[in-house]
Amino acid sequence: MNSTSTSSNPWVRWQQVFTDEMMAAMGRVALVPTLWERARRVRKGVTPAETVYEEDRLRLRHYVTDGKPRYRTPLVLIYALVNRPYILDLKKGRSVVEQFVAHGFDTYLVDWGVPTSADRHLTLDDYINGYMVNILDYLRERTGVGRCNILGYCMGGTMSAMFTALHQDRVKNLMLLAAPIDFATNDSLLNLWSRPEYFDVDKFVDAFGNCPPEFLQASFLLLKPVGNLLEKPINFYENMHNEKFVEDFMTTETWL
């Protein structure tokens, strides 16, 4: 049988495809024992920083530069109360913080810490009119600048918008990134799920105190169940041999 007839034979082609896929699958399976070690080696929050202010679990990190910042006005990155803030400083070359520092901004980041049952009675008022006021007052005294720049990300953006509305004398510029603002709309599933007729937040807080991370994680996964529960694992499986893909995937997923 010549090569032309072999390549046109459906059965032979199927055998070749099956063999190739089996070999690729065996190669992926062989990589499984190394995944835990590769995940353990993932480093996040790579830009050099020092803690300059502490209050309860809160830590204010100042990113260190070799020279003097180009801009005097401090830039404060306010992240959400859930997840970890190093999403803004994931890895070298993929870091919002790194870019701000490189362009001469005097950059700070608020790390709210990991909540415990002792934090269950804290309200938005405590965070916005308490911690955030103290942070900006500290920076104003530290830098000698009357007002600070704020970049609020996710829930941190919502809190930053509230803070700026209440304390305009402390804020020079407000920047918001992926920040929920209009909670009256039903455009998103989260808005719909959290409507009072479907979700009694008071009973939930009374029962759990702090919102369990498993509840939040499940809620966000169910926003895009096919993408998160099917497409993402399949995409990872098909790219397990790609070192750069695995490193990027592990960096992002271990943040979550």
Side-chain angles (χ1 to χ4, degrees):
M1 183 180 293
N2 58 42
S3 59
T4 302
S5 60
T6 300
S7 61
S8 62
N9 187 317
W11 171 247
V12 174
R13 289 204 312 274
W14 181 88
Q15 285 182 310
Q16 185 61 54
V17 170
F18 179 79
T19 302
D20 292 344
E21 183 55 36
M22 285 298 295
M23 293 299 294
M26 291 174 63
R28 296 185 187 104
V29 170
L31 292 171
V32 170
T34 69
L35 293 179
W36 171 252
E37 178 61 24
R38 291 156 84 181
R40 194 181 66 82
R41 292 200 306 264
V42 169
R43 290 184 64 248
K44 299 168 289 289
V46 295
T47 306
E50 59 181 353
T51 299
V52 295
Y53 177 81
E54 299 182 28
E55 183 178 354
D56 298 332
R57 301 182 203 290
L58 178 156
R59 301 291 183 272
L60 180 65
R61 306 195 183 282
H62 179 225
Y63 291 94
V64 181
T65 58
D66 295 332
K68 188 176 181 180
R70 185 182 308 169
Y71 306 105
R72 285 192 63 216
T73 304
L75 170 64
V76 190
L77 308 181
I78 308 288
Y79 189 59
L81 299 176
V82 297
N83 284 337
R84 307 300 299 128
Y86 46 68
I87 186 63
L88 297 171
D89 189 29
L90 270 182
K91 57 184 292 189
K92 190 172 180 61
R94 296 187 65 183
S95 167
V96 174
V97 168
E98 180 184 47
Q99 290 299 312
F100 276 121
V101 172
H103 285 80
F105 288 90
D106 190 17
T107 309
Y108 297 79
L109 180 140
V110 177
D111 183 349
W112 296 110
V114 179
T116 69
S117 58
D119 301 302
R120 63 183 298 166
H121 301 295
L122 292 176
T123 66
L124 281 175
D125 182 58
D126 295 311
Y127 286 100
I128 294 167
N129 293 316
Y131 292 130
M132 291 180 68
V133 166
N134 295 342
I135 290 168
L136 264 73
D137 284 350
Y138 165 79
L139 287 176
R140 294 162 73 198
E141 181 178 351
R142 172 187 171 95
T143 62
V145 174
R147 295 188 296 170
C148 302
N149 295 324
I150 293 180
L151 189 154
Y153 180 35
C154 192
M155 179 186 178
T158 309
M159 295 165 61
S160 298
M162 295 178 183
F163 177 87
T164 302
L166 295 169
H167 304 283
Q168 297 181 35
D169 58 315
R170 291 175 168 89
V171 182
K172 182 176 182 180
N173 295 296
L174 171 66
M175 296 158 282
L176 303 179
L177 179 62
I181 297 295
D182 184 3
F183 292 93
T185 178
N186 291 324
D187 290 343
S188 78
L189 283 175
L190 285 179
N191 287 61
L192 185 62
W193 290 343
S194 58
R195 286 175 59 174
E197 59 264 40
Y198 304 130
F199 183 68
D200 191 328
V201 67
D202 292 321
K203 286 185 178 179
F204 185 88
V205 171
D206 290 341
F208 292 100
N210 295 325
C211 182
E214 297 82 6
F215 178 84
L216 284 176
Q217 182 74 342
S219 299
F220 283 108
L221 285 175
L222 290 175
L223 289 175
K224 296 181 179 179
V226 175
N228 289 322
L229 301 176
L230 291 177
E231 292 177 356
K232 184 185 290 185
I234 291 172
N235 191 32
F236 177 73
Y237 170 76
E238 292 178 342
N239 289 278
M240 286 172 60
H241 61 284
N242 186 324
E243 285 288 337
K244 184 179 185 307
F245 176 89
V246 171
E247 181 184 353
D248 290 344
F249 185 92
M250 292 291 189
T251 301
T252 304
E253 293 303 306
T254 52
W255 161 71
L256 295 171

